[in-house]
Amino acid sequence: MLTIGELASYAGVTVRAVRHYHAKGLLPEPERDHSGYRRYGADAVVELIRIRTLAEAGVPLARVRELLRAGEEEFAAAVAEIDRRLRAEIRERQRHRARIARLAAGDSLALPPEVVEFLDRLRALGVDERIVRVERDGWIPLAAHAPERVPEWMARKREQIADPRFIGFYRTLGQALDRADDDPRLAGLADELAAYLTGMAEERGEDYIDDAEIEPPLVRVMDTLAFDTMPSARRLIELLRQRGWTGWTKVGRVDRGAAGPRGNSAKTRSSARTGARQERELGGKGVR
């Protein structure tokens, strides 16, 4: 025969828990012996272990009481249902673990694997980390807004980074980051960027420069993200516009109107006003 302390020890609970189960009517209290102590038999150990196991599995004590009084078939069915619930909880916790692990995974937290691979490739090619960050920040809203188009856009990006001139384009942008707005070397960088874009347009066609078909509101978001990261790029884009190109997320030729260099036609003046308004809305243009 066992004392309450021995019973608790064998079953892996505290004496306080045993008394709690007595109070809840889960475990019958034995009669006291001639010395005034309660003595428990082996059956009490088995019953207490059943109670503890069900309670630890999250079964409410009221339900534990019902199960202890149930027949073998009902008890077995209930245990099977508890097992199914626990397996579902385990799967959910595994998903939580995977999400928690991704918090330390950097870019892959918010981006598809193919985009993460592209960003890593840029780093391996020596592209300035600030440029990579601008790319990453731009891809986050893109992937969230149109995930079905990511494979299409990434196919284009993979084609571009296979061209050494394109990587040179990124490196030129990286040089611009450390230039003050009045640094005369920005003009030379703008020359390089304009030459790259002009060469691509002549070789591959105007449509090759930008055929991503990104919606204007998303363009504005991505432009803002870029200029917040690279303030000096605003001046670079002003210089680039003087060389015939405009845009950051969406790149294109500057529309100089149909009336020649002076632009004194109504159409030219209207285009100029429209362009100025768009620049104010976008907070400046750039090249992506």
Side-chain angles (χ1 to χ4, degrees), residues 7 62 87 126 144 187 238 281 288:
L7 171 67
R87 282 188 278 116
E238 291 175 6
E281 292 174 351
R288 175 174 167 79

Side-chain angles (χ1 to χ4, degrees), residues 70-92:
E72 290 185 8
E73 185 174 332
E74 181 183 351
F75 185 83
V79 168
E81 177 58 32
I82 294 168
D83 181 63
R84 282 192 292 271
R85 175 178 58 79
L86 289 175
R87 282 188 278 116
E89 290 178 2
I90 289 170
R91 288 192 296 269
E92 181 63 21

Side-chain angles (χ1 to χ4, degrees), residues 133-168:
R133 188 164 64 249
V134 168
E135 279 283 339
R136 180 203 64 191
D137 291 349
W139 277 105
I140 289 173
L142 272 181
H145 180 74
E148 73 284 354
R149 296 199 61 194
V150 169
E152 168 197 343
W153 288 327
M154 284 312 307
R156 169 73 178 273
K157 283 293 188 180
R158 282 191 290 268
E159 178 183 353
Q160 289 175 334
I161 63 173
D163 184 345
R165 291 171 297 178
F166 186 80
I167 299 303

Side-chain angles (χ1 to χ4, degrees), residues 13-75:
V13 300
T14 63
V15 170
R16 182 178 180 180
V18 176
R19 289 178 174 146
H20 180 67
Y21 294 148
H22 284 325
K24 292 294 182 179
L26 298 174
L27 185 69
E29 292 189 64
E31 296 294 331
R32 298 181 183 273
D33 64 13
H34 63 278
S35 300
Y37 293 102
R38 298 190 185 279
R39 300 291 181 176
Y40 297 85
D43 289 346
V45 176
V46 174
E47 196 74 355
L48 186 53
I49 290 175
R50 295 175 74 190
I51 295 168
R52 184 204 70 192
T53 303
L54 291 169
E56 289 177 349
V59 180
L61 293 184
R63 178 58 174 157
V64 171
R65 185 187 303 109
E66 294 175 2
L67 292 178
L68 293 176
R69 297 170 181 172
E72 290 185 8
E73 185 174 332
E74 181 183 351
F75 185 83

Side-chain angles (χ1 to χ4, degrees), residues 193-203 206 209 243 245 253:
L193 294 178
Y196 169 81
L197 292 170
T198 300
M200 282 290 96
E202 292 175 351
E203 179 182 330
E206 295 283 343
I209 300 300
R243 289 153 176 77
W245 292 95
R253 294 273 195 185

Side-chain angles (χ1 to χ4, degrees), residues 89-102:
E89 290 178 2
I90 289 170
R91 288 192 296 269
E92 181 63 21
R93 289 183 180 277
Q94 288 172 335
R95 285 192 289 269
H96 285 312
R97 289 189 64 214
R99 286 193 286 267
I100 288 294
R102 288 177 60 193

